[in-house]
Amino acid sequence: MHITLAIMDINGRFKAEAASDGEINLVYRGEYEAGDCIRLTVSEPGYLLLAFDAAIAPSLLFMREREYSYPLPLGQQGQTISPVAFTGQIHRLFAREASHEEIVTRRNLAFNPLDTAANNALYPHASANVETRGEAAFAARNAIDGEKANTDHGKWPFTSWGINQDPQAELTIDFGREVSIDELKLYLRADFPHDAWWKQASVTFSDGSTEQLELGKSGSAQRFAVKPRRIEWLKLHDLIKADDPSPFPALTQFEAWGTEAMLAPIQSQP
């Protein structure tokens, strides 16, 4: 796989670029400016290990298209990431084609710290029908960024998916290809007593099946083993709030554990 990393300014001009086969490091000397973006280009779709900044955890992601543009989260958007990310005078970006061993391992297939609202190329991708006040600190992408600190609310590291008190709120995670899921894990936001919590939620999968989850008042991981199924997306919905004075339940992190579908047997239908 041929990989190109580039940093572009608001007018589409190149500030830095590097290209190589299989693996690449791009070092940029200079401060990022408003409107800058990182552009990732590959010769064909596939699996990549990516780290767009040394302060953001590397992630194994599926590139469905040949190009992905990542607007640098500066200003208000920067509330969702570490305050040291994308700052300073020198920056190191990394991209590598994932190895077979990395691809086939069982892992959290919902993890993507590089997701954005407009993402349609680098998967998984989270979206929702409502986000509290449209603020970055409560955006859907926060539920899959790997950040699990949940004893407060607001900017990093306490970002979450906020539902703006809407009982019809739904969160969708699109994997961009077929995967096999066998376990779900939820971290509810637990800034009690500011926060409430959900006592029940449902998850519907792209194969048409639904699982009902019974939740408790806890900031710890709440795990749910599910019948293995091959899916392309899932939706969290029908969020039933517990009887609590607070009107603010929220989700800090959603994990979907399993493997690539190519490793799993096809499930027979009843």
Side-chain angles (χ1 to χ4, degrees), residues 9 47 49 61 77 79 96 108 110 119 140 142 152 156 182 186 194 197 204 207 223 251 254 261:
D9 70 12
Y47 297 87
L49 191 70
L61 304 173
Q77 294 296 319
Q79 293 182 1
R96 172 172 61 79
N108 172 23
N119 174 23
N142 299 329
D152 202 341
W156 186 93
D182 58 52
L186 281 71
H194 172 276
W197 71 98
T204 293
D207 65 358
R223 294 178 170 88
L251 180 66
F254 187 104

Short mmCIF file of all heavy atoms in Angstrom, two decimals, residues 9 47 49 61 77 79 96 108 110 119 140 142 152 156 182 186 194 197 204 207 223 251 254 261:
data_model
loop_
_atom_site.label_atom_id
_atom_site.label_comp_id
_atom_site.label_asym_id
_atom_site.label_seq_id
_atom_site.Cartn_x
_atom_site.Cartn_y
_atom_site.Cartn_z
N ASP A 9 -3.21 23.93 4.25
CA ASP A 9 -3.79 25.10 4.90
C ASP A 9 -5.22 25.31 4.43
O ASP A 9 -5.76 24.52 3.64
CB ASP A 9 -2.92 26.34 4.69
CG ASP A 9 -2.94 26.86 3.25
OD1 ASP A 9 -3.78 26.42 2.43
OD2 ASP A 9 -2.10 27.73 2.93
N TYR A 47 -6.46 -1.64 5.87
CA TYR A 47 -6.34 -1.41 7.30
C TYR A 47 -5.04 -0.67 7.60
O TYR A 47 -3.97 -1.03 7.08
CB TYR A 47 -6.36 -2.73 8.06
CG TYR A 47 -7.65 -3.50 7.91
CD1 TYR A 47 -7.83 -4.37 6.83
CD2 TYR A 47 -8.68 -3.35 8.82
CE1 TYR A 47 -9.01 -5.08 6.68
CE2 TYR A 47 -9.87 -4.05 8.68
CZ TYR A 47 -10.03 -4.91 7.61
OH TYR A 47 -11.21 -5.60 7.46
N LEU A 49 -2.62 1.50 10.72
CA LEU A 49 -2.34 1.95 12.07
C LEU A 49 -1.95 3.42 11.96
O LEU A 49 -1.00 3.77 11.24
CB LEU A 49 -1.19 1.14 12.68
CG LEU A 49 -0.98 1.35 14.18
CD1 LEU A 49 -2.13 0.73 14.97
CD2 LEU A 49 0.35 0.75 14.63
N LEU A 61 -7.47 1.26 12.07
CA LEU A 61 -8.70 1.70 11.43
C LEU A 61 -8.81 1.14 10.02
O LEU A 61 -7.81 0.73 9.41
CB LEU A 61 -8.74 3.23 11.39
CG LEU A 61 -8.60 3.93 12.76
CD1 LEU A 61 -8.47 5.42 12.59
CD2 LEU A 61 -9.77 3.58 13.66
N GLN A 77 -13.34 23.11 18.88
CA GLN A 77 -13.25 21.69 18.57
C GLN A 77 -12.14 21.01 19.37
O GLN A 77 -12.19 19.81 19.62
CB GLN A 77 -13.02 21.49 17.08
CG GLN A 77 -14.18 21.92 16.20
CD GLN A 77 -15.43 21.10 16.45
OE1 GLN A 77 -15.37 19.89 16.63
NE2 GLN A 77 -16.58 21.77 16.49
N GLN A 79 -11.62 21.13 22.41
CA GLN A 79 -12.05 20.71 23.74
C GLN A 79 -12.18 19.20 23.85
O GLN A 79 -12.24 18.66 24.95
CB GLN A 79 -13.39 21.37 24.08
CG GLN A 79 -13.33 22.88 24.24
CD GLN A 79 -14.68 23.46 24.61
OE1 GLN A 79 -15.66 22.74 24.78
NE2 GLN A 79 -14.74 24.77 24.74
N ARG A 96 0.90 3.48 9.04
CA ARG A 96 1.48 2.22 8.60
C ARG A 96 0.38 1.26 8.19
O ARG A 96 -0.67 1.21 8.84
CB ARG A 96 2.32 1.61 9.73
CG ARG A 96 2.81 0.19 9.42
CD ARG A 96 3.80 -0.33 10.43
NE ARG A 96 3.28 -0.43 11.78
CZ ARG A 96 2.49 -1.41 12.23
NH1 ARG A 96 2.04 -2.35 11.40
NH2 ARG A 96 2.13 -1.44 13.49
N ASN A 108 -11.61 -4.05 20.29
CA ASN A 108 -12.74 -3.12 20.29
C ASN A 108 -12.84 -2.51 18.90
O ASN A 108 -12.06 -1.62 18.54
CB ASN A 108 -12.55 -2.04 21.34
CG ASN A 108 -13.59 -0.94 21.24
OD1 ASN A 108 -14.68 -1.14 20.71
ND2 ASN A 108 -13.26 0.23 21.75
N ALA A 110 -15.05 -0.58 17.72
CA ALA A 110 -15.70 0.72 17.68
C ALA A 110 -14.75 1.87 17.97
O ALA A 110 -15.16 3.03 18.01
CB ALA A 110 -16.86 0.77 18.68
N ASN A 119 -16.94 12.47 8.52
CA ASN A 119 -16.14 11.32 8.09
C ASN A 119 -16.98 10.31 7.31
O ASN A 119 -17.99 9.82 7.79
CB ASN A 119 -15.53 10.65 9.33
CG ASN A 119 -14.80 9.35 9.02
OD1 ASN A 119 -14.36 9.12 7.90
ND2 ASN A 119 -14.68 8.51 10.03
N ALA A 140 -21.23 12.92 19.12
CA ALA A 140 -21.28 11.45 19.01
C ALA A 140 -19.89 10.84 18.94
O ALA A 140 -19.64 9.78 19.52
CB ALA A 140 -22.08 11.06 17.77
N ASN A 142 -17.33 11.42 20.49
CA ASN A 142 -16.71 11.24 21.80
C ASN A 142 -16.96 9.84 22.37
O ASN A 142 -16.19 9.38 23.22
CB ASN A 142 -17.23 12.28 22.79
CG ASN A 142 -16.93 13.69 22.36
OD1 ASN A 142 -15.93 13.95 21.70
ND2 ASN A 142 -17.81 14.62 22.70
N ASP A 152 -16.81 13.57 35.64
CA ASP A 152 -17.13 14.99 35.45
C ASP A 152 -17.74 15.10 34.05
O ASP A 152 -17.94 14.09 33.37
CB ASP A 152 -15.86 15.84 35.58
CG ASP A 152 -16.16 17.30 35.92
OD1 ASP A 152 -17.31 17.74 35.71
OD2 ASP A 152 -15.24 17.99 36.39
N TRP A 156 -12.29 17.73 27.43
CA TRP A 156 -11.36 16.63 27.68
C TRP A 156 -10.73 16.75 29.05
O TRP A 156 -10.39 17.85 29.47
CB TRP A 156 -10.28 16.66 26.60
CG TRP A 156 -9.33 15.49 26.66
CD1 TRP A 156 -9.44 14.33 25.97
CD2 TRP A 156 -8.12 15.39 27.42
NE1 TRP A 156 -8.37 13.50 26.27
CE2 TRP A 156 -7.56 14.13 27.16
CE3 TRP A 156 -7.47 16.23 28.33
CZ2 TRP A 156 -6.37 13.69 27.74
CZ3 TRP A 156 -6.29 15.80 28.92
CH2 TRP A 156 -5.75 14.53 28.63
N ASP A 182 -19.33 -9.88 19.39
CA ASP A 182 -19.78 -10.84 20.41
C ASP A 182 -19.91 -10.24 21.80
O ASP A 182 -20.36 -10.89 22.73
CB ASP A 182 -18.86 -12.06 20.47
CG ASP A 182 -17.41 -11.69 20.76
OD1 ASP A 182 -17.16 -10.98 21.74
OD2 ASP A 182 -16.53 -12.14 20.01
N LEU A 186 -20.39 -0.64 27.78
CA LEU A 186 -20.80 0.76 27.91
C LEU A 186 -20.21 1.36 29.17
O LEU A 186 -20.21 0.74 30.23
CB LEU A 186 -22.32 0.89 27.96
CG LEU A 186 -23.09 0.82 26.63
CD1 LEU A 186 -23.07 -0.60 26.07
CD2 LEU A 186 -24.52 1.30 26.82
N HIS A 194 -24.89 15.33 39.49
CA HIS A 194 -25.24 16.11 38.31
C HIS A 194 -25.91 15.22 37.26
O HIS A 194 -26.87 15.64 36.62
CB HIS A 194 -24.01 16.77 37.71
CG HIS A 194 -24.26 17.44 36.38
ND1 HIS A 194 -24.24 16.75 35.18
CD2 HIS A 194 -24.54 18.72 36.06
CE1 HIS A 194 -24.51 17.57 34.18
NE2 HIS A 194 -24.68 18.79 34.69
N TRP A 197 -28.84 8.41 34.93
CA TRP A 197 -28.34 7.28 34.16
C TRP A 197 -29.52 6.58 33.51
O TRP A 197 -30.68 6.82 33.85
CB TRP A 197 -27.55 6.32 35.06
CG TRP A 197 -28.38 5.53 36.04
CD1 TRP A 197 -28.84 4.25 35.92
CD2 TRP A 197 -28.87 5.99 37.30
NE1 TRP A 197 -29.57 3.88 37.01
CE2 TRP A 197 -29.61 4.93 37.89
CE3 TRP A 197 -28.77 7.19 38.02
CZ2 TRP A 197 -30.23 5.04 39.13
CZ3 TRP A 197 -29.38 7.30 39.25
CH2 TRP A 197 -30.10 6.23 39.79
N THR A 204 -29.90 -2.22 18.19
CA THR A 204 -30.35 -2.91 16.99
C THR A 204 -29.17 -2.99 16.01
O THR A 204 -28.42 -2.02 15.85
CB THR A 204 -31.53 -2.18 16.34
OG1 THR A 204 -32.66 -2.28 17.22
CG2 THR A 204 -31.90 -2.80 15.01
N ASP A 207 -28.29 -6.60 10.92
CA ASP A 207 -28.95 -7.83 10.47
C ASP A 207 -30.42 -7.89 10.89
O ASP A 207 -31.10 -8.87 10.63
CB ASP A 207 -28.21 -9.07 11.00
CG ASP A 207 -28.25 -9.19 12.52
OD1 ASP A 207 -28.83 -8.30 13.19
OD2 ASP A 207 -27.71 -10.18 13.05
N ARG A 223 -20.68 -4.68 30.94
CA ARG A 223 -20.41 -5.62 29.85
C ARG A 223 -21.64 -6.46 29.52
O ARG A 223 -22.37 -6.88 30.42
CB ARG A 223 -19.25 -6.54 30.22
CG ARG A 223 -17.92 -5.84 30.36
CD ARG A 223 -16.84 -6.84 30.78
NE ARG A 223 -15.51 -6.28 30.69
CZ ARG A 223 -14.92 -5.62 31.68
NH1 ARG A 223 -15.56 -5.44 32.81
NH2 ARG A 223 -13.71 -5.14 31.53
N LEU A 251 -23.47 9.29 27.73
CA LEU A 251 -22.62 8.13 27.46
C LEU A 251 -21.19 8.59 27.25
O LEU A 251 -20.90 9.41 26.38
CB LEU A 251 -23.11 7.40 26.20
CG LEU A 251 -22.33 6.17 25.77
CD1 LEU A 251 -22.48 5.05 26.81
CD2 LEU A 251 -22.80 5.69 24.41
N PHE A 254 -18.62 3.77 24.22
CA PHE A 254 -19.30 2.56 23.73
C PHE A 254 -18.25 1.70 23.03
O PHE A 254 -17.56 2.18 22.13
CB PHE A 254 -20.42 2.93 22.76
CG PHE A 254 -21.27 1.76 22.34
CD1 PHE A 254 -22.54 1.60 22.89
CD2 PHE A 254 -20.81 0.82 21.43
CE1 PHE A 254 -23.34 0.52 22.51
CE2 PHE A 254 -21.60 -0.26 21.06
CZ PHE A 254 -22.86 -0.41 21.60
N ALA A 261 -15.18 -9.87 10.10
CA ALA A 261 -16.15 -10.89 9.71
C ALA A 261 -15.51 -12.01 8.90
O ALA A 261 -15.98 -13.15 8.93
CB ALA A 261 -17.29 -10.26 8.93
#
